[in-house]
């Protein structure tokens, strides 16, 4: 019963460093999403995918890239981290009925 | 434009009080889905309810109840006889594509004091 698993759970980056967040789901869902959560702003969609090999921009895509080479994995990359990207990141997957969320990744950029 | 507004940023109540969390949404679509999620202090997002736009029946689940009114574009959530364990951030969300792509409100922080 793993559901949606995010790696890592916590990370501290220096400004300008790069990193990749991994999201893995074992429910065979077509749709996958990356959100960021900031105080007072709810969750905002960064990028999403409607199937293997596809990606699309969400509400706040700048500074991020994504890839979905395998159906079960959705990667979120930060090429050059900025303090404004300090946030909690949530991955989600869905078959359409409802979204299942990972535990979140707390990222701090100093 | 599609939008979800949770005007109450923070609510504080004493245990056993009833509390209602407001949610107002905007969409031009005739088919859409509304959700409530709970985020306890541990940080995970817990699904509470999904409601489609064609079903305006109110729903009750234990101490939780939901009032969906299309006429006012509202989907309010009431907790009856609140408990300390209800303390959390509650999010209302809208899905107009039926793909799980959600538009979230800003969230309401509920503090239930003993």
């Amino acid at each position: 019963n793993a559901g949606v698993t995010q790696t890592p759970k916590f990370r501290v980056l220096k400004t300008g460093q790069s990193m990749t967040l991994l999201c893995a789901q074992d429910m065979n869902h077509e749709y996958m999403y990356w959100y960021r959560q900031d105080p007072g702003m709810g969750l905002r969609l960064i990028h999403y995918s409607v199937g293997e090999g596809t990606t699309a921009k969400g509400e706040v895509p700048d500074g991020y890239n994504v890839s979905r080479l395998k159906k079960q994995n959705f990667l979120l990359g930060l090429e050059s981290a900025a303090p404004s990207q300090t946030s909690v990141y949530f991955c989600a997957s869905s078959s359409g009925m409802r979204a299942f969320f990972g535990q979140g990744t707390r990222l701090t950029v100093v | 434009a599609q939008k979800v507004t949770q005007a109450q940023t923070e609510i504080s109540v004493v245990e056993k009080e009833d509390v209602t969390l407001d949610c107002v949404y905007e969409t031009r679509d005739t088919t859409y889905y509304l959700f409530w999620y709970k985020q306890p202090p541990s940080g995970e997002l817990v699904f509470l309810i999904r409601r489609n736009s064609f079903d305006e029946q109110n729903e009750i689940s234990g101490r939780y109840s939901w009032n969906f009114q299309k006429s006012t574009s509202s989907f309010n959530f009431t907790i009856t006889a609140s408990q300390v364990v209800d303390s959390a951030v509650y999010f209302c969300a809208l899905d107009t594509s039926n793909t799980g792509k959600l538009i979230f409100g800003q969230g309401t922080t509920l503090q239930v004091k003993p």
Side-chain angles (χ1 to χ4, degrees):
Chain A
N1 275 355
V4 180
T5 304
Q6 291 182 229
T7 310
K9 291 184 174 50
F10 302 94
R11 185 74 185 268
V12 177
L13 282 181
K14 293 183 178 179
T15 298
Q17 285 185 320
S18 63
M19 78 163 294
T20 300
L21 282 68
L22 171 63
C23 177
Q25 54 99 358
D26 62 2
M27 295 172 282
N28 202 34
H29 287 165
E30 289 295 331
Y31 310 111
M32 296 189 73
Y33 307 90
W34 276 107
Y35 295 89
R36 61 177 288 172
Q37 181 180 10
D38 302 295
M41 304 188 74
L43 281 76
R44 293 179 293 167
L45 184 64
I46 304 171
H47 285 282
Y48 64 100
S49 169
V50 299
E52 182 179 318
T54 74
T55 63
K57 294 181 180 179
E59 180 186 354
V60 288
D62 294 343
Y64 305 95
N65 56 73
V66 288
S67 65
R68 187 139 179 233
L69 300 179
K70 294 183 179 180
K71 186 176 184 178
Q72 63 268 34
N73 296 336
F74 194 30
L75 279 63
L76 177 71
L78 287 73
E79 289 188 349
S80 179
S84 60
Q85 294 177 304
T86 293
S87 188
V88 179
Y89 292 84
F90 284 96
C91 175
S93 72
S94 171
S95 61
M97 286 291 289
R98 56 166 276 212
F100 292 78
F101 286 85
Q103 325 93 302
T105 296
R106 186 172 294 275
L107 174 67
T108 302
V109 183
V110 298
Chain B
Q2 295 163 343
K3 187 179 179 182
V4 176
T5 302
Q6 295 178 255
Q8 303 151 308
T9 304
E10 293 184 13
I11 301 175
S12 181
V13 299
V14 176
E15 207 170 18
K16 296 185 183 176
E17 283 186 24
D18 298 347
V19 58
T20 295
L21 308 182
D22 297 333
C23 173
V24 174
Y25 62 92
E26 296 176 31
T27 180
R28 292 181 180 177
D29 293 288
T30 55
T31 302
Y32 51 89
Y33 305 85
L34 295 163
F35 297 79
W36 277 95
Y37 282 85
K38 174 183 180 180
Q39 186 177 44
S42 51
E44 74 273 22
L45 286 159
V46 179
F47 168 81
L48 296 177
I49 190 170
R50 175 184 191 262
R51 174 65 83 202
N52 74 57
S53 54
F54 296 106
D55 184 359
E56 284 196 74
Q57 275 193 321
N58 291 333
E59 179 147 344
I60 299 174
S61 176
R63 297 184 296 106
Y64 295 171
S65 62
W66 291 268
N67 183 353
F68 176 29
Q69 290 195 339
K70 287 178 76 170
S71 60
T72 56
S73 297
S74 65
F75 186 43
N76 297 337
F77 173 31
T78 297
I79 302 174
T80 302
S82 60
Q83 300 176 2
V84 173
V85 293
D86 295 327
S87 296
V89 181
Y90 290 87
F91 291 101
C92 181
L94 170 68
D95 178 0
T96 60
S97 61
N98 197 26
T99 62
K101 188 170 80 167
L102 298 172
I103 301 163
F104 283 86
Q106 303 91 320
T108 297
T109 300
L110 174 64
Q111 183 180 35
V112 182
K113 298 179 181 177

